Amino acid sequence: SYLKIIWRNYCFWHLFFHQLITWWLIHENYLKKSLFLTFALGGFYFDQGGYAAFFLSGGLVVNAGIYIINDYNNLTHLPAQTRLFQAITHKTIPILLTVFANVLGLLPFLSEGDSEVFWFSLAVGTIGGLIMSLLAIFILLPILMLKK
């Protein structure tokens, strides 16, 4: 009975730590850096398209983080650094394909400029957010995972 409680608490804190890392990826990468920085430095207006870009790119970066963390958790027979390296190398191509497919799919909306306000700000925010999220996924996430 006592061992079950210890095991349950261990599983809870283990999962909580991974959720905290994915939350940190969204908070640090989007609220403070990439999305709003893209609008501020580019001089673009942040409106409904920016909010939609926030949710779209936030969902994609959390999904990428979950992919890496899931592979890391499934490779239990290896040391921590090797697990992390293999998890990242196995998921690099799918993550990059997802990001570049979204960026290329939104490029036509940039051609209209500010005349299509919603679509232009959606494209600018999503492209800026996804490109900056690559830094968070491939640099900051491994650092946080190894500190564990």
Side-chain angles (χ1 to χ4, degrees), residues 94-113:
I95 291 169
L96 289 176
L97 285 174
T98 303
V99 168
F100 292 136
N102 280 289
V103 167
L104 291 174
L106 290 169
L107 283 179
F109 293 116
L110 295 178
S111 65
E112 293 295 320

Side-chain angles (χ1 to χ4, degrees), residues 59-94:
L60 289 171
V61 75
V62 167
N63 196 20
I66 289 171
Y67 282 154
I68 292 173
I69 290 171
N70 186 41
D71 273 8
Y72 177 83
N73 288 336
N74 288 335
L75 298 170
T76 57
H77 62 282
L78 298 172
Q81 289 180 344
T82 308
R83 282 194 299 171
L84 185 60
F85 179 75
Q86 282 192 358
I88 290 173
T89 54
H90 288 159
K91 294 301 178 186
T92 298
I93 292 175

Side-chain angles (χ1 to χ4, degrees), residues 8 47 68 89 105 115-116 121 124:
R8 222 176 305 149
D47 60 355
I68 292 173
T89 54
S115 64
E116 293 289 333
S121 62
V124 165

Side-chain angles (χ1 to χ4, degrees), residues 25-41 53-54 57-58 61 124-136:
L25 276 173
I26 293 174
H27 184 265
E28 287 299 315
N29 193 35
Y30 289 102
L31 288 180
K32 293 184 179 174
K33 292 182 182 88
S34 64
L35 197 80
F36 295 124
L37 192 63
T38 301
F39 283 100
L41 292 179
F54 180 79
S57 54
V61 75
V124 165
T126 304
I127 290 171
L130 288 177
I131 290 173
M132 292 290 282
S133 74
L134 293 176
L135 296 174

